[in-house]
Amino acid sequence: MDSQQILDLYTWKPGTCFQHPDAGVVETTVVQELHTRLGPVEGIRACTSCILAMEARRRGLAAEAGVAYEPGHAGAPL
């Protein structure tokens, strides 16, 4: 899959990337949920470049482990 096909697997909304907060509001997707004791569930959001980096890392880990790589699950365990 090419980069755009991988990005198309996610739902994008304006938000702040957890790795690049200084970039301000950009297109992001939720990669994890933070469950706080008293407040509502908050999504941890990542930008397109972070998603592609996370997917590349997952692809490498899958190859090392000898398991199938399935894109579209950045932030989830392998």
Side-chain angles (χ1 to χ4, degrees), residues 2 4 9 15-17 19 23 27 32 34 39-40 42-43 48 51-53 57 63 67 69-72 75:
D2 68 23
Q4 189 57 53
L9 296 172
T16 303
C17 177
Q19 288 279 21
E27 288 297 302
Q32 286 284 319
L34 181 63
E42 292 189 36
T48 57
I51 289 295
L52 293 175
R57 179 71 177 140
V67 298
Y69 162 67
E70 184 179 333

Side-chain angles (χ1 to χ4, degrees), residues 33-42:
E33 290 184 338
L34 181 63
H35 298 266
T36 61
R37 212 182 272 194
L38 300 174
V41 174
E42 292 189 36

Side-chain angles (χ1 to χ4, degrees), residues 1-12 29 31 51-60 62-63 67-78:
M1 295 184 102
D2 68 23
S3 297
Q4 189 57 53
Q5 290 172 315
I6 291 172
L7 294 174
D8 288 345
L9 296 172
Y10 293 90
T11 302
W12 299 94
T29 190
V31 291
I51 289 295
L52 293 175
M54 293 167 78
E55 288 285 358
R57 179 71 177 140
R58 289 184 82 247
R59 185 173 32 254
V67 298
Y69 162 67
E70 184 179 333
H73 304 285
L78 184 58

